[in-house]
Amino acid sequence: MIEDMRSKNAGESATETLVLAPRARMQSPRRRPFRVGGGAFWYVLPAATLILVVIYLGVAYTGYVSVLDWDGLSPNPEFAGIDNYLRAFTDPVFWECLAHSAVYAVIVIPVNMAIGLTMAILLTQRVFLSGVIKVIMFVPVVLSSAAIAVSFRELLGADGMLNQVLRAIGLGGLAQPWLAQTSTALYAIALITVWATAGLNFILYQAALSQIDEDTIEAAQLDGAGKFRIVRSVIFPQLAGTHATLILLGVIGALRMFDIVFLTTRGGPAGATEFLATYIYRQTIDVFNAGYASALSILLLLIALVLTVVQLQMSRRRSETVAW
């Protein structure tokens, strides 16, 4: 009998809960917009001051130096106006650097995204040693660029391990000095970057996949959709925000590419891997042309800002289209 009473009370409680829950939701207070009060301002002030001093004042100083004819050492720099900017537009190396960044981005961004998305989808299933595979995927991301560059310089050298393997299996005709000839150096740099950064794409895609509503996938399965159709029509569109973020990061990374190039080829051979960042470094340190290097830096900043705004606008319009 006691059990019957407990069951009856439990049933009544459940019924009351079901009845009262919508009412409680209706009576819940309206969500107030977040506002930064006067107290929060003082918490934000140190970080805002640090950013203002370190970044924005640095950009302003670089803009000032960009209108000077200055070697970076002379106490009496001369005012040059926009001559440094006009020189950049007529400098063939400047356009070659942009072309190299474009080729690099076209290779690295899609390959990285394809590897990251494929591995993230596969590892959402029950896979043997999935934890070990995830660690292996992410380890290159935390390695230093110096260690990666030195390792691949030995691997892809004329007598490196790759060429030794090719010769050992009878494919010696394919052996190349991958980083030392103009026809392969840029692609070798792209390969190194894919190896080093694919894990970041994998982690971001895996985090995004965990946010997809499983009911949506189950509904598609009940409608008879196969795995590839679910990936193409359900999962891929819902990862639009992650796609846009990775493309944006990839484009900015292509424009800022420096460490791997500098530590492997230093922009060579014959400028085949010269990027804008390495060219700015050479103009500043090797040629002592701080004014021109500053103008190139400002142009690099403007290009990155324009591309970022364009991509954000495209992503916003795509999101609005999907929402409608």
Side-chain angles (χ1 to χ4, degrees):
M1 185 175 180
I2 294 174
E3 294 297 329
D4 293 341
M5 292 178 63
R6 287 178 178 173
S7 302
K8 184 179 178 180
N9 293 333
E12 290 177 352
S13 300
T15 305
E16 290 175 356
T17 303
L18 291 174
V19 171
L20 293 176
R23 192 181 302 167
R25 285 197 296 269
M26 293 176 62
Q27 294 176 352
S28 61
R30 294 179 60 186
R31 182 177 297 175
R32 296 179 179 177
F34 177 75
R35 294 178 180 176
V36 178
F41 171 77
W42 298 107
Y43 290 102
V44 176
L45 183 60
T49 303
L50 184 64
I51 293 173
L52 179 66
V53 172
V54 174
I55 298 179
Y56 289 102
L57 287 185
V59 172
Y61 181 72
T62 302
Y64 164 70
V65 175
S66 70
V67 295
L68 300 178
D69 182 9
W70 190 35
D71 60 3
L73 299 174
S74 172
N76 297 313
E78 297 180 1
F79 181 72
I82 61 172
D83 289 351
N84 288 325
Y85 292 94
L86 296 177
R87 176 185 170 184
F89 290 119
T90 58
D91 185 354
V93 179
F94 172 74
W95 297 108
E96 288 177 3
C97 292
L98 293 182
H100 294 160
S101 296
V103 172
Y104 170 89
V106 168
I107 296 173
V108 172
I109 294 174
V111 173
N112 259 346
M113 292 176 66
I115 294 175
L117 180 59
T118 303
M119 293 302 295
I121 292 175
L122 291 177
L123 291 178
T124 56
Q125 313 296 321
R126 291 184 178 178
V127 178
F128 180 64
L129 294 178
S130 62
V132 176
I133 297 173
K134 290 177 183 177
V135 172
I136 292 173
M137 284 288 299
F138 191 69
V139 163
V141 179
V142 300
L143 292 178
S144 69
S145 300
I148 294 172
V150 171
S151 300
F152 274 92
R153 199 167 55 195
E154 295 297 325
L155 179 67
L156 300 177
D159 296 324
M161 188 180 299
L162 177 60
N163 286 338
Q164 291 179 16
V165 171
L166 290 174
R167 294 187 184 102
I169 62 176
L171 298 175
L174 298 177
Q176 306 285 337
W178 304 98
L179 290 169
Q181 61 183 10
T182 57
S183 60
T184 58
L186 184 59
Y187 303 108
I189 294 292
L191 171 68
I192 297 172
T193 308
V194 167
W195 183 86
T197 59
L200 178 62
N201 289 249
F202 162 70
I203 291 296
L204 292 179
Y205 272 127
Q206 193 174 46
L209 285 173
S210 65
Q211 302 301 318
I212 294 179
D213 188 3
E214 294 183 359
D215 293 340
T216 307
I217 298 176
E218 292 177 359
Q221 291 173 338
L222 291 175
D223 288 340
K227 292 182 179 178
F228 290 104
R229 181 62 185 274
I230 291 175
V231 171
R232 182 169 61 88
S233 302
V234 179
I235 294 177
F236 195 81
Q238 294 198 38
L239 298 177
T242 307
H243 301 324
T245 301
L246 291 175
I247 292 173
L248 180 61
L249 292 176
V251 170
I252 294 175
L255 290 172
R256 297 173 52 203
M257 185 63 182
F258 177 79
D259 45 5
I260 295 293
V261 175
F262 187 76
L263 294 169
T264 52
T265 63
R266 294 183 67 89
T273 59
E274 191 79 271
F275 285 73
L276 206 49
T278 57
Y279 189 44
I280 291 171
Y281 175 86
R282 288 203 299 113
Q283 287 293 324
T284 306
I285 304 300
D286 296 342
V287 187
F288 295 102
N289 197 344
Y292 183 51
S294 298
L296 292 174
S297 300
I298 295 297
L299 290 175
L300 175 60
L301 174 64
L302 293 177
I303 293 170
L305 286 177
V306 169
L307 291 176
T308 301
V309 171
V310 170
Q311 287 188 332
L312 290 177
Q313 290 295 329
M314 292 175 62
S315 176
R316 184 175 302 171
R317 290 179 181 177
R318 191 180 301 113
S319 300
E320 292 175 355
T321 303
V322 172
W324 281 102

